[in-house]
Amino acid sequence: MPRLTLQSKAFIALSILLAVLLALFMGFSRLGLQRGLGPYIAEIELGRLDWLAVRLERAYVLHGGWDTLRTQPALWRQMHKPGELPRATFGPTPPGKRDGPGTGTGSGAPAAQQDMGMASASSMCGSDSTASGDGGLPPTAGAVPGEGALPGRPSGAQPPPDPSGHALSMRLGLIDGQRNVVAGMEPQPGSARRVLRGPRGEAIGQLVLLPPLDVETDADQAFLRQQLVFVAWTGAAGLALALALSWWLARRWLAPVGALVHGARQVAAGRLDTRVPVDGDDELAHLASTFNDMAEQLAGMEASRRQWIGDVAHELRTPLAAMRAEIEAVQDGIRPFDGSTALRLHRQVMRLIQLVGDLRASLDAAGEAMPAALVPLRPLPLLAEAVASMQARFDNAAIALDTSALDAWAADSMHSADALVRGDAAQLHRVYLNLLENSLRYTEAGGRLCIAARIERSSAEGSAQLVLQWDDTAPGVPAQELPRVFDRFYRAEASRTRAAGDTGGSGLGLAICRAIVQAHGGRITAEASPLGGLRILLILPLLETPRP
């Protein structure tokens, strides 16, 4: 079985989720349609019963309330049957009801309405002289007054037959204004309701139609099927769109992950020039950018490693080649082995020893080995001692060693002599000597080296640090080369020879200085000097803030 990728897994998971959601949507839609179709049908059916509402409103006026319908169930059954009502359906108005509808007192409808009600009752219960030959009423004589004047129906038209195949009469009910059942079925949730109003527009009750228990007619079944098919097609279209969107999202989100995996494999195989495309500004884009930065740093480190190995091989080859030439000359009898030859060989051996020692020191100071002990000490006396030890060499090279600024600062700030740092005296003394040696080697004759000191305080952290500053004259270092000054084997001019007596050193002095200073919690930087040469800033954290 092929192994699924992360993109395939994400797409399959989203597809299953969307399919489940679609199934739930279809199920709830079908349930909602089935439950909502009954009340909807009841609303439509009740809207077709205008004639029954008119009858009930007229009956309420003629009988002065709903008591007649409450006490005569047969009258209710006759009321909601389509067709003409038999003679004397309502019967005479009960005694005491002539003074007003629904009250039985004299505070009911106006006199004109009372006369209308009595006239209507008389017409319904009148003599047989108006009867037809078959003993029935004429087409309009037995109808409730106003029944033939319904909107959209010609005068004298018969009420429509039952429009549905349901037992409509078994689902009808009538409740009064206090929501008490007058006749028929009791209201249930989902029932359709129509408010019945009296002569003055007041609510006198409600005609209620219960929803059908089942969808029985072919038209209703067809409507339900049509709606379900529509829902199914809508859900299928939504599913297809959601699947396409999930495929695009899975590819959009996870394609960078695949590119990162491929890039990591390329880097692991040694192809450090590999880069992955960065698309957008989201987290994955930041991850790809970070990966590219990492690959670039690895490539730089690999280039530095190759250059370092080449520089070490070159540094070792020079004294070894000189020693080989001396030994072969002695072996061939070209040069006798005398004291001068032994001195030259000894000088080359010492140079090898110094080179190996510098390499070891640069590695140890870079973090592999910290100073053995860091104790409180005064750095300025150590600097004065280093300057004194190098003074003669500077004089011989015709380079002025200017410490007037350092002496003036110490004289004006007597407390600076009490400034303490936590460090190793031997290591700091070595840093001073290396910095002095660097200026001595690369400063032209007639130039000068200025050394100054100051204390900087941080108001935010409440700490203080000692800043020692070296400024020498030309030649300087190009601006683009300044970040590499403290690299191992770096020289501003690669063509300088390593012969004794010239200006070429091992190229490890400043690298050792940086490693030692960092091990003491400080930092060292290089920048262009206003004197035309190089400025070195040595910054050490003070153990105690000097007293004013």
Side-chain angles (χ1 to χ4, degrees):
M1 181 178 180
R3 184 177 181 182
L4 295 177
T5 63
L6 185 60
Q7 180 176 348
S8 301
K9 293 179 180 179
F11 176 73
I12 293 174
L14 289 175
S15 301
I16 294 175
L17 176 62
L18 293 173
V20 172
L21 291 177
L22 177 61
L24 293 175
F25 171 72
M26 291 289 296
F28 283 112
S29 298
R30 179 180 178 85
L31 182 62
L33 285 173
Q34 289 178 341
R35 290 187 175 182
L37 187 59
Y40 173 72
I41 294 175
E43 290 287 348
I44 295 178
E45 292 175 337
L46 187 60
R48 299 173 181 173
L49 298 179
D50 293 341
W51 56 273
L52 179 57
V54 172
R55 282 184 177 180
L56 293 174
E57 291 171 351
R58 184 64 61 182
Y60 180 88
V61 173
L62 292 178
H63 291 275
W66 301 117
D67 291 342
T68 303
L69 289 176
R70 280 194 178 97
T71 58
Q72 299 181 21
L75 179 59
W76 165 251
R77 291 193 293 271
Q78 292 177 357
M79 287 286 292
H80 62 67
K81 288 182 179 181
E84 296 183 359
L85 294 175
R87 184 193 302 264
T89 296
F90 295 111
T93 303
K97 300 292 184 179
R98 294 181 180 272
D99 292 336
T103 60
T105 64
S107 60
Q113 293 181 358
Q114 295 177 11
D115 293 341
M116 179 187 68
M118 290 185 291
S120 299
S122 298
S123 65
M124 296 180 66
C125 303
S127 62
D128 294 339
S129 61
T130 61
S132 60
D134 57 358
L137 293 175
T140 59
V144 178
E147 200 173 273
L150 294 176
R153 187 185 307 158
S155 178
Q158 297 289 340
D162 193 346
S164 66
H166 305 287
L168 188 62
S169 61
M170 300 300 297
R171 297 189 285 117
L172 280 170
L174 177 63
I175 59 177
D176 57 15
Q178 289 74 34
R179 301 184 181 276
N180 298 319
V181 178
V182 175
M185 302 300 296
E186 183 177 357
Q188 296 179 3
S191 300
R193 297 169 183 259
R194 175 169 181 161
V195 178
L196 304 177
R197 300 192 178 275
R200 293 185 296 274
E202 74 278 11
I204 59 177
Q206 294 182 5
L207 180 62
V208 180
L209 180 62
L210 275 63
L213 297 178
D214 296 315
V215 180
E216 299 174 352
T217 65
D218 294 338
D220 296 336
Q221 292 286 354
F223 173 79
L224 181 60
R225 285 194 300 270
Q226 181 181 5
Q227 294 301 315
L228 290 177
V229 169
F230 175 77
V231 170
W233 278 108
T234 303
L239 178 61
L241 179 61
L243 289 176
L245 181 61
S246 64
W247 176 83
W248 180 83
L249 288 177
R251 182 175 181 180
R252 172 67 179 83
W253 291 343
L254 299 180
V257 177
L260 286 172
V261 172
H262 177 72
R265 290 175 178 172
Q266 294 294 316
V267 171
R271 301 180 182 91
L272 299 180
D273 58 342
T274 302
R275 301 293 184 270
V276 297
V278 180
D279 185 13
D281 193 28
D282 53 9
E283 289 79 1
L284 289 175
H286 293 167
L287 179 60
S289 179
T290 303
F291 177 86
N292 291 338
D293 293 341
M294 179 195 68
E296 185 175 357
Q297 291 180 6
L298 288 176
M301 292 173 61
E302 178 64 17
S304 298
R305 184 184 68 86
R306 293 178 180 274
Q307 182 180 359
W308 184 80
I309 293 176
D311 291 340
V312 170
H314 182 79
E315 292 290 340
L316 294 176
R317 183 170 59 248
T318 300
L320 289 176
M323 293 174 62
R324 177 182 178 182
E326 292 285 349
I327 295 174
E328 289 179 350
V330 172
Q331 289 177 340
D332 294 339
I334 299 174
R335 181 177 298 169
F337 186 79
D338 52 11
S340 177
T341 302
L343 181 61
R344 287 193 297 271
L345 291 175
H346 181 269
R347 185 182 297 115
Q348 297 299 332
V349 171
M350 293 304 297
R351 185 175 181 184
L352 283 174
I353 294 174
Q354 181 183 359
L355 177 61
V356 173
D358 289 345
L359 283 172
R360 181 61 184 176
S362 66
L363 293 175
D364 291 345
E368 287 85 352
M370 299 292 291
L374 296 179
V375 297
L377 55 86
R378 295 185 179 91
L380 295 181
L382 291 175
L383 177 57
E385 180 181 345
V387 169
S389 65
M390 296 287 292
Q391 184 67 57
R393 295 184 59 187
F394 273 84
D395 294 340
N396 293 334
I399 300 175
L401 185 54
D402 185 2
T403 59
S404 58
L406 179 64
D407 298 336
W409 178 80
D412 293 341
S413 306
M414 298 302 297
H415 60 278
S416 61
D418 297 329
L420 296 177
V421 299
R422 186 179 296 276
D424 186 297
Q427 296 286 355
L428 288 179
H429 190 265
R430 185 176 187 180
V431 170
Y432 299 150
L433 290 178
N434 284 350
L435 294 177
L436 292 169
E437 184 72 26
N438 182 75
S439 296
L440 180 63
R441 286 180 179 274
Y442 295 106
T443 302
E444 295 176 350
R448 62 191 178 99
L449 170 64
C450 297
I451 304 177
R454 65 180 182 272
I455 291 179
E456 294 181 351
R457 293 181 175 84
S458 174
S459 58
E461 301 178 358
S463 59
Q465 54 192 10
L466 175 65
V467 180
L468 300 177
Q469 179 176 303
W470 274 259
D471 282 293
D472 57 25
T473 55
V477 177
Q480 66 273 15
E481 299 292 333
L482 286 174
R484 301 185 54 200
V485 166
F486 298 98
D487 291 347
R488 297 185 183 95
F489 299 110
Y490 168 78
R491 291 185 183 85
E493 296 182 14
S495 61
R496 285 178 176 172
T497 63
R498 275 70 169 172
D502 64 23
T503 58
S506 66
L508 295 171
L510 293 182
I512 295 173
C513 291
R514 180 181 61 178
I516 293 176
V517 171
Q518 290 178 349
H520 283 73
R523 64 183 187 275
I524 186 170
T525 60
E527 59 188 48
S529 172
L531 301 181
L534 183 67
R535 168 176 286 181
I536 301 293
L537 294 176
L538 172 60
I539 304 172
L540 295 172
L542 291 176
L543 185 60
E544 296 180 1
T545 303
R547 297 184 299 275

